[in-house]
Amino acid sequence: MNDISEHSQYLLKSRYLLKDDSGEIIETPDELFKRVAKAVASAESQWGGKEQIALWENKFYECLSNLSFLPNSPTLMNAGNIEQQLSACFVLPIYDSMQSIHDSFKYAKLIQTSGGGVGFNFSRISPKNNYAYSICKHLSGPLSIIEDFDSLTEGVKQAGKRRGANMAILDINHPDIEAFIDAKHQSAVLNNFNLSIAITDQFMHAVEKNDEWELIHPNYRNVEKRVDAKYLWNKIIQSAWATGDPGLLFIDTINQYNPLTALGKINATNPCGEVPLMPYESCNLGSLNLVKFLKGNNGGKEINWRKLEETVETAIRFLDNVIEINTYPTPEIKSTTLKSRKIGLGVMGWADLLIELEIPYDSDKAVQLGEKIMEFISEKAKEASIDLAKTRGSFPDWNKSIYAPDTPMRNATRTSIAPTGSISIIADTSSSIEPIFALAYEQKHILNEHVFENINQQFVATLKKHKLYTTDIIKKVLKYGSIAFISELPVAIRNLFKTAQEITPEWHLKHQLAFQKYTDNAVSKTINLPETTTKQEVGAIFSTAYFWKAKGISIFRYNSKDKQVLNIGVETDASNCNICRPVNRSQAW
């Protein structure tokens, strides 16, 4: 298998490798990949014999061990274990009754303990202090219940391996929407939740026309209050600028592309927004490491389309097998998931791929290539799912889907762009479709506050290749995390290594929409903004995302929170700097 970085080693040891009862590690990374490959290949017994199982076990192991494809974290953690819960993404319903609230509370604990994350739409809960119309007499409103769920998650570090993740969604017409918008204005509040507002076309039209907007009781449908739509919109912008929350889900656009509209409307997503799901649905994700699909060509590099096609086919089969061997937290989740068999194959290493091809992120060439790659992945994923349907059967709700009656399909959805926070570290590549965050930065380990110092090794290699490497340049990069102001470096290099905050929001959105165009589910993408970004600029980003038909949008303005996982720059003496040298790689376990 490939050598792995020091950062990856630390992450694998702390979260993924098996441990005995005393907490001692009893597994190597190679053994982890063999464990996962063997467990997932065991599903082949339903359609073939021992030779078939062995064939796919080898193929799965090859993809995992060479880091060209990795599944979501729960699969890496739990495959082959007694408690084999392998899904990362869930949506639970929550209604205006104490029984429903208690059930969702119980189910969320089960899911988070096994490594999954949960999305909720709290819009059915009666507004705060609504004595006249509350069904369950729970008069504290949605925010109080969200706080209860946040406390639950705080107490459940997922399988002792990662902190819980949740998405709280509230419809734009809920009477408590103003309090929801402001929910994170206090520090250290709802740290285990992303907040998103389900925005409708009707609301956006009201904003455009400067109309009044009705806030409606979710259960009795009476108008509780009227507010100016523009006032509400500006309040959202102010809060997102100040705290990073809430994000927006353009719910009508999401439902426009729902492959199972006959079953009802989607009103929630998983915690990072890349998988819209019906109540009790779960989804299994995996990502292709795009850098692994490069090959040499006349002294340059190009994409190995044949290898990419073969890996997509293997990955789709892998994710479909996961559905078969999965241990589901509840019978409702199992039944609902098996009916649609949703999976989400995405990508990571996009920024690194562009650098290897010497294509600046903020260029038409980059956006066009992104669209081309995702169209190819989507097409091959669809072909693989059709082939699986011929031998395994279409997903049970197929006759209610957009694919009936002509196109057999094993999986209702096949592609999704996840944030790949942990697995991109394991693969030692850039996350998802994001640009590079900074050329030098500190990254805080989520569970125990351990801080890693990072410098971009592609940048270091480029400097050395062009004989531009100097201690002075490295000192500046370590301090500022950027080369935008280093005039002695060629413009072409400064353009190639632009960081996330140096790339204008328009280019962030263009990349998001290029990949969304050929993605069945959705795209998790954060537009990282410099600290100097204005509220007006945030408003323009949100409006553009809506009019360009994004399914959702989230932004984060640097230093808008007291604590953040990534911090630009590393205050280190470059003369004694280990991170300026090639990353230590080792398989000595």
Side-chain angles (χ1 to χ4, degrees):
M1 64 166 285
N2 284 12
D3 290 348
I4 58 174
S5 71
E6 185 177 359
H7 196 169
S8 174
Q9 290 180 36
Y10 182 89
L11 184 64
L12 287 168
K13 288 178 179 179
S14 62
R15 296 192 195 176
Y16 294 87
L17 301 180
L18 294 182
K19 299 176 181 178
D20 61 22
D21 293 339
S22 63
E24 293 295 317
I25 294 172
I26 56 173
E27 185 177 52
T28 68
D30 193 56
E31 289 169 340
L32 179 155
F33 295 136
K34 287 179 178 177
R35 164 172 60 81
V36 174
K38 182 180 181 65
V40 176
S42 68
E44 298 288 334
S45 63
Q46 298 184 54
W47 302 284
K50 292 182 179 179
E51 291 184 2
Q52 180 85 345
I53 296 171
L55 169 69
W56 287 103
E57 182 178 339
N58 288 335
K59 286 191 176 185
F60 294 158
Y61 169 73
E62 181 180 357
C63 285
L64 299 175
S65 61
N66 67 26
L67 304 175
S68 60
F69 163 78
L70 289 176
N72 53 215
S73 288
T75 301
L76 291 175
M77 293 172 179
N78 301 330
N81 295 340
I82 296 173
E83 295 181 2
Q84 194 165 251
Q85 197 294 103
L86 310 179
S87 302
C89 307
F90 297 80
V91 160
L92 290 176
I94 186 161
Y95 304 109
D96 200 37
S97 74
M98 294 307 299
Q99 185 63 53
S100 174
I101 294 168
H102 289 157
D103 286 347
S104 293
F105 201 86
K106 176 176 64 178
Y107 298 159
K109 185 174 182 179
L110 289 171
I111 290 167
Q112 290 171 3
T113 301
S114 62
V118 190
F120 308 87
N121 188 313
F122 289 90
S123 299
R124 294 293 298 273
I125 303 298
S126 293
K128 184 177 181 179
N129 296 330
N130 196 290
Y131 290 88
Y133 296 108
S134 177
I135 294 173
C136 71
K137 305 303 178 189
H138 193 295
L139 305 176
S140 53
L143 265 178
S144 177
I145 299 172
I146 295 170
E147 289 168 0
D148 290 342
F149 276 87
D150 187 65
S151 297
L152 162 71
T153 306
E154 188 66 32
V156 180
K157 288 185 177 179
Q158 297 182 355
K161 298 172 181 177
R162 63 174 185 165
R163 189 174 297 281
N166 301 283
M167 171 74 86
I169 299 162
L170 204 66
D171 294 350
I172 188 61
N173 65 352
H174 193 281
D176 286 357
I177 191 65
E178 293 176 73
F180 183 81
I181 292 169
D182 292 338
K184 286 202 178 183
H185 279 211
Q186 296 180 1
S187 61
V189 174
L190 300 180
N191 288 331
N192 302 299
F193 267 93
N194 292 324
L195 305 184
S196 285
I197 299 173
I199 299 285
T200 61
D201 292 343
Q202 185 182 7
F203 173 74
M204 293 303 292
H205 296 156
V207 172
E208 189 176 10
K209 295 176 182 178
N210 206 17
D211 286 345
E212 277 194 335
W213 182 249
E214 294 180 343
L215 304 183
I216 300 171
H217 193 286
N219 300 304
Y220 290 89
R221 310 310 300 167
N222 57 293
V223 177
E224 295 281 311
K225 185 179 180 181
R226 290 179 174 86
V227 297
D228 289 336
K230 182 80 75 175
Y231 155 78
L232 213 53
W233 179 246
N234 288 335
K235 191 175 182 67
I236 293 168
I237 292 165
Q238 155 67 28
S239 184
W241 176 87
T243 71
D245 283 284
L248 306 181
L249 296 176
F250 298 117
I251 204 70
D252 291 329
T253 302
I254 286 173
N255 278 292
Q256 181 182 344
Y257 295 98
N258 177 9
L260 286 160
T261 53
L263 298 180
K265 290 187 176 182
I266 290 172
N267 71 357
T269 73
N270 71 316
C272 293
E274 74 271 19
V275 188
L277 294 169
M278 298 291 285
Y280 294 116
E281 270 192 313
S282 66
C283 186
N284 306 298
L285 307 179
S287 296
L288 302 159
N289 183 359
L290 291 177
V291 179
K292 297 294 184 179
F293 302 100
L294 287 173
K295 65 179 181 179
N297 180 31
N298 296 325
K301 294 180 180 179
E302 66 179 13
I303 294 171
N304 186 337
W305 296 101
R306 180 57 187 160
K307 181 181 178 183
L308 181 57
E309 178 179 1
E310 292 172 351
T311 308
V312 169
E313 178 186 350
T314 300
I316 293 296
R317 193 181 192 103
F318 180 104
L319 293 173
D320 190 66
N321 282 10
V322 167
I323 296 173
E324 290 300 309
I325 66 167
N326 205 353
T327 299
Y328 295 89
T330 75
E332 295 95 334
I333 292 172
K334 179 176 182 178
S335 172
T336 308
T337 301
L338 290 176
K339 287 178 181 178
S340 62
R341 303 188 68 89
K342 288 182 178 178
I343 56 175
L345 178 63
V347 300
M348 55 184 167
W350 173 234
D352 286 355
L353 177 81
L354 290 175
I355 291 170
E356 291 293 324
L357 294 173
E358 299 184 351
I359 302 173
Y361 191 94
D362 54 347
S363 67
D364 289 330
K365 188 175 182 181
V367 173
Q368 290 162 6
L369 180 60
E371 188 170 309
K372 181 179 179 180
I373 287 176
M374 200 62 214
E375 181 181 18
F376 183 85
I377 292 170
S378 179
E379 177 186 333
K380 298 308 174 184
K382 186 174 182 180
E383 290 175 4
S385 190
I386 290 172
D387 286 343
L388 287 174
K390 292 175 181 176
T391 56
R392 301 181 176 187
S394 293
F395 61 93
D397 276 339
W398 173 82
N399 62 336
K400 302 171 186 174
S401 76
I402 60 174
Y403 308 109
D406 299 321
T407 308
M409 195 68 65
R410 182 64 172 168
N411 314 98
T413 64
R414 300 154 299 281
T415 50
S416 181
I417 307 295
T420 71
S422 296
I423 63 171
S424 61
I425 294 173
I426 295 172
D428 195 22
T429 194
S430 58
S431 60
S432 188
I433 61 167
E434 301 288 356
I436 53 176
F437 176 73
L439 292 176
Y441 61 94
E442 294 179 339
Q443 184 166 20
K444 185 176 294 183
H445 189 272
I446 295 172
L447 288 182
N448 60 10
E449 304 294 303
H450 187 92
V451 175
F452 279 96
E453 297 175 342
N454 299 273
I455 191 166
N456 188 287
Q457 293 299 310
Q458 286 176 301
F459 170 68
V460 172
T462 299
L463 289 184
K464 291 180 177 178
K465 175 183 176 181
H466 294 281
K467 298 181 180 179
L468 295 167
Y469 185 99
T470 67
T471 300
D472 182 59
I473 287 176
I474 291 299
K475 280 183 177 180
K476 291 177 182 177
V477 171
L478 288 172
K479 184 173 182 178
Y480 299 108
S482 167
I483 57 171
F485 61 93
I486 303 180
S487 59
E488 58 261 45
L489 290 177
V491 172
I493 290 179
R494 282 185 276 160
N495 287 340
L496 187 61
F497 286 96
K498 279 186 181 178
T499 62
Q501 296 183 58
E502 296 160 11
I503 293 166
T504 63
E506 178 184 5
W507 287 108
H508 282 270
L509 279 173
K510 283 183 176 180
H511 281 261
Q512 180 175 337
L513 270 295
F515 281 88
Q516 180 64 78
K517 186 175 181 180
Y518 295 103
T519 298
D520 302 320
N521 288 297
V523 175
S524 176
K525 173 86 176 71
T526 299
I527 298 183
N528 284 288
L529 302 171
E531 192 171 355
T532 55
T533 301
T534 66
K535 297 166 194 173
Q536 289 77 14
E537 288 170 325
V538 171
I541 295 165
F542 282 177
S543 295
T544 303
Y546 170 73
F547 286 110
W548 284 4
K549 302 293 284 184
K551 291 184 178 179
I553 183 71
S554 63
I555 63 101
F556 184 76
R557 186 174 60 89
Y558 191 72
N559 277 340
S560 60
K561 290 187 177 180
D562 294 337
K563 291 184 179 181
Q564 53 193 41
V565 175
L566 298 176
N567 291 279
I568 296 171
V570 179
E571 293 291 347
T572 305
D573 179 3
S575 65
N576 187 32
C577 175
N578 289 326
I579 66 172
C580 303
R581 306 184 188 115
V583 176
N584 178 37
R585 298 172 187 275
S586 173
Q587 293 188 56
W589 292 82

